[in-house]
Amino acid sequence: MHTAKGFIEEIFLQGRWAARIACPPALVPAPGQYLLATSLSEPLPVLAQPLFSAGVCPGGFYAAPPLPASWLPGAVLRLRGPLGHGFSLPPGARKVALATQHTNSARLLALLEPALAQKASIALLCSQPPASLPAALEILPPASLPEILPWADYLAIDLPRDQLPGMLSMLLQGEPQSKRLPPRAGRVQILVQTPLPCGGLAKCGACSVELPAGKGQRLACEDGPVFDIY
Ligand code: FES
């Protein structure tokens, strides 16, 4: 974990990136990890903002939306991280599914370049995919998840905390049995969206997540925000 200053090189109003962030290489978060960022250009102290990668770029990374509307190009950021556990794409995965129930798939798309680099076929399940995605990607509606389960040998999901129980129920108890992914550590990972106000420093508990039996309650800021389901 490191602290350093970075700055906003560019803001994007549309598309899969919210901003291009310049920072030291050690601060660049891996897919699913995050930084806590405070803008030193804000006139009043504010809570640190979690920043997730939507892809790497020379000298830094692309931040996934949303970002505070008050952040402008040139703003200097105080950065702490990378924090938490991110996605672990298995090197042997050749059929990769990225699934979100909402419109923002940017945090999952940080896995795009690594998956393409290992020549995986990729399916993106998202209701509003951003423009300019590689043509090799298959775009499917979120409702296709039960059908994609038998195909994928790695599944990464991004969803809000309140949708976690329903997703776990579908993955762990859904029928028919033959359509579920065979349980194997690391085969299904879920990035759980929660507030991350302290990043584990104050043990505030705002990021608490209830996982399946045997795993119990965890802190998304330290134990996640990406969790193995099996
Ligand atoms: S964000 Fe405070 S304990 Fe996790």
Side-chain angles (χ1 to χ4, degrees):
M1 203 269 287
H2 305 269
T3 55
K5 284 182 183 172
F7 70 95
I8 301 175
E9 290 191 313
E10 191 173 2
I11 293 281
F12 303 94
L13 299 179
Q14 292 183 330
R16 71 195 236 212
W17 304 317
R20 185 157 49 93
I21 308 289
C23 69
L27 267 290
V28 174
Q33 285 189 307
Y34 65 100
L35 303 178
L36 283 182
T38 308
S39 171
L40 301 179
S41 307
E42 299 278 356
L44 298 171
V46 291
L47 273 179
Q49 168 80 20
L51 285 187
F52 287 83
S53 173
V56 294
C57 63
F61 68 100
Y62 294 106
L67 292 185
S70 58
W71 286 15
L72 299 172
V76 178
L77 305 176
R78 184 191 301 120
L79 303 171
R80 178 165 72 90
L83 297 167
H85 292 278
F87 291 108
S88 304
L89 178 66
R94 294 293 178 268
K95 290 180 279 187
V96 171
L98 311 175
T100 179
Q101 301 289 326
H102 52 89
T103 58
N104 182 359
S105 56
R107 303 192 298 181
L108 292 172
L109 290 171
L111 287 165
L112 197 53
E113 294 304 326
L116 288 172
Q118 62 189 48
K119 303 196 183 327
S121 300
I122 306 168
L124 173 66
L125 285 69
C126 176
S127 56
Q128 279 182 29
S132 309
L133 290 174
L137 236 70
E138 184 174 8
I139 310 293
L140 297 167
S144 302
L145 186 55
E147 285 76 49
I148 211 75
L149 288 179
W151 172 83
D153 51 25
Y154 175 72
L155 170 61
I157 299 172
D158 183 352
L159 86 182
R161 177 170 52 187
D162 63 354
Q163 293 180 15
L164 184 61
M167 180 60 72
L168 291 175
S169 168
M170 197 276 283
L171 289 171
L172 300 175
Q173 297 152 26
E175 294 296 339
Q177 168 78 30
S178 61
K179 289 213 165 182
R180 283 189 257 146
L181 282 173
R184 193 180 74 206
R187 193 163 200 176
V188 180
Q189 296 190 307
I190 300 185
L191 196 171
V192 182
Q193 301 165 23
T194 70
L196 298 164
C198 81
L201 271 187
K203 299 282 187 274
C204 68
C207 63
S208 178
V209 171
E210 188 70 37
L211 291 177
K215 298 189 183 233
Q217 208 160 53
R218 301 291 180 88
L219 296 177
C221 63
E222 291 182 332
D223 306 317
V226 174
F227 294 96
D228 275 11
I229 296 314
Y230 299 120

